[in-house]
Amino acid sequence: MMVGKNYTTYKNQALENRQVRVRKTAPRGRIADRQGLILADNLFIADITLSAACLSAEGPDTTLARLLDWFDLPVSETCRRLASQQAKGRSRLVLVANASMPQIAAVEERGRQLPGVRVEARARRRYLYDNLFAHLIGYVGEVGKADLDTSGSYLGYRQGDFIGKQGIEAVFEDILRGTPGRMLEEVNASGRFVGSGTVWSNELLPGQDVILSISLNLQLALAEIIGDKVACGVAMSVATGEVLAAFSNPSFDPNLMTMGISAEQWNTWLNDPAKPFFNRVIHATYPPGSLYKPVTSLAAMSLGLVDTNTKLEPCLGGWNFGDRYFRCWKRSGHGRLDHMDAMVFSCDTYYYQLGLMMNIDQLAAAARSFGLGRACTDVFA
């Protein structure tokens, strides 16, 4: 068989005409507690998408009009939503997110009447414990203009990609995100995939998992203790300094952020006086209270003023200082305690007396030895 001298050129042009390059985002890595129990993973869903050219200034084209009719979608609202996606520069528009099986079947069965329409699988972030870890783990959301890569690299963020917005999701974004892939798909003149297989030009690499020091059981117990109160709590390992639980209430369900939150729900959260987005664990300020008692003990013992057996005046429910009476948390009093028992029972009266034995500089030096007043890396911000 004779082959013309332009055979290779024409063959490559033909392949380009029927092959398209498709960029695929990688599924995010999972987030687990210290025992490996999954706290955040991915739920694979299907979207019905179509070309951005389906909607013009004159209105929807024939394909979009058919879908609007078959799926009984509100025309003006749907066109407004698609136009918003067009304005962001998307080449593919999501007509139906998280499509149902009947909707998917309708597209697959009537493919010849729907040029350019695809059913595209994607991974949606799922938080298995709703609001329990919202402030700690954070959430993902669609990338903003500042995140977009205009260099042309397929590795950069594109419209429609998701990125960690807060918490662990944001701090470990580079690890969790993974590497997007690029593949070649064979299509017909209508834009439908007809190839028997996928050829990867750049392999997709899923994101890596992140294991936290957090204990799911301790987090559940802490949330139960806090209940409906506007409060927060932290549990840490004395031996290692690891954070074992960290809960702030009220909270919010981060799953709603991945599904496209309504303006009504967003405004409800923003106008809530209890501030559900406010992470009280790291952003609120509180008087140190009993947490400062070990600092006071260390300062007094380091100066040789007391030891573990030292007894001071008995606790009768409070202590007079100047013209004010400072109460102990136990109104009936603890009686006469030594230093060790004063720490065990957290007797305020004992520590009022202990603090008065020292000046402010001596207390400050002890506080600094605990690391207080030093800047630290905030892994939850």
Side-chain angles (χ1 to χ4, degrees):
M1 182 178 70
M2 295 183 62
V3 178
K5 62 179 181 180
N6 294 323
Y7 167 79
T8 302
T9 300
Y10 293 143
K11 178 183 176 182
N12 289 337
Q13 288 178 353
L15 285 173
E16 286 296 322
N17 286 336
R18 62 191 179 92
Q19 285 186 332
V20 294
R21 288 180 174 87
V22 180
R23 177 179 175 275
K24 290 289 185 180
T25 56
R28 290 179 74 83
R30 299 173 300 176
I31 299 174
D33 85 334
R34 64 188 301 113
Q35 301 297 327
L37 300 173
I38 302 300
L39 309 178
D41 65 2
N42 304 300
L43 179 66
F44 288 87
I45 62 175
D47 295 336
I48 296 174
T49 70
L50 64 173
S51 169
C54 68
L55 184 64
S56 65
E58 288 72 35
D61 67 4
T62 304
T63 299
L64 176 55
R66 283 174 181 159
L67 290 170
L68 292 171
D69 180 44
W70 291 349
F71 295 158
D72 193 25
L73 298 173
V75 177
S76 59
E77 179 182 335
T78 303
C79 289
R80 185 164 54 251
R81 180 168 52 82
L82 295 177
S84 175
Q85 296 179 46
Q86 279 181 328
K88 294 179 179 179
R90 293 190 186 180
S91 59
R92 302 288 303 173
L93 308 183
V94 178
L95 176 66
V96 180
N98 194 13
S100 65
M101 284 307 300
Q103 290 171 324
I104 294 172
V107 171
E108 295 293 348
E109 292 170 1
R110 304 173 184 178
R112 293 184 180 277
Q113 304 175 54
L114 301 170
V117 178
R118 301 176 194 163
V119 175
E120 298 187 37
R122 67 176 172 91
R124 189 183 77 199
R125 201 56 161 165
R126 178 175 65 169
Y127 301 100
L128 280 73
Y129 294 92
D130 300 332
N131 67 343
L132 185 65
F133 294 98
H135 294 106
L136 176 64
I137 292 180
Y139 61 91
V140 296
E142 192 170 342
V143 297
K145 290 183 179 180
D147 303 310
L148 296 179
D149 182 5
T150 58
S151 68
S153 169
Y154 79 100
L155 294 172
Y157 291 101
R158 292 288 183 270
Q159 289 287 353
D161 287 354
F162 282 77
I163 188 173
K165 293 290 187 178
Q166 289 184 3
I168 297 298
E169 292 277 29
V171 173
F172 293 102
E173 169 67 17
D174 291 343
I175 295 174
L176 291 165
R177 182 196 178 202
T179 304
R182 185 161 54 185
M183 61 184 185
L184 298 176
E185 290 280 9
E186 189 173 354
V187 298
N188 61 18
S190 298
R192 286 185 57 78
F193 292 114
V194 296
S196 58
T198 296
V199 178
W200 290 95
S201 59
N202 297 94
E203 187 177 359
L204 179 150
L205 298 175
Q208 299 178 48
D209 294 346
V210 170
I211 309 298
L212 306 179
S213 63
I214 294 293
S215 164
L216 171 60
N217 290 333
L218 277 179
Q219 186 83 355
L220 288 167
L222 180 58
E224 184 177 358
I225 291 170
I226 292 176
D228 295 331
K229 296 187 288 292
V230 176
C232 68
V234 177
M236 298 179 66
S237 167
V238 175
T240 65
E242 293 175 303
V243 178
L244 304 178
F247 182 69
S248 177
N249 195 63
S251 187
F252 61 95
D253 185 356
N255 288 298
L256 298 178
M257 311 298 281
T258 68
M259 293 186 290
I261 187 171
S262 67
E264 181 182 3
Q265 177 62 70
W266 179 253
N267 288 329
T268 297
W269 280 339
L270 288 183
N271 296 323
D272 187 338
K275 300 180 180 179
F277 282 112
F278 184 60
N279 185 353
R280 289 167 170 81
V281 171
I282 60 171
H283 292 141
T285 55
Y286 304 98
S290 293
L291 293 175
Y292 203 77
K293 286 174 180 172
V295 175
T296 309
S297 287
L298 176 67
M301 293 179 71
S302 297
L303 294 169
L305 301 176
V306 295
D307 58 28
T308 56
N309 299 314
T310 300
K311 294 183 178 180
L312 302 179
E313 293 296 318
C315 172
L316 303 177
W319 184 260
N320 281 307
F321 181 71
D323 59 355
R324 182 176 170 185
Y325 185 69
F326 292 86
R327 292 191 176 277
C328 180
W329 69 264
K330 187 176 182 181
R331 295 301 179 94
S332 61
H334 289 95
R336 193 173 180 83
L337 302 174
D338 62 21
H339 192 180
M340 181 69 74
D341 284 340
M343 172 81 68
V344 170
F345 295 105
S346 191
C347 177
D348 297 335
T349 300
Y350 189 97
Y351 279 91
Y352 294 148
Q353 299 175 72
L354 200 58
L356 290 172
M357 294 180 180
M358 296 167 282
N359 61 42
I360 191 66
D361 292 329
Q362 293 168 324
L363 286 169
R368 283 192 291 271
S369 71
F370 273 79
L372 299 177
R374 291 205 308 261
C376 63
T377 301
D378 182 10
V379 298
F380 304 118

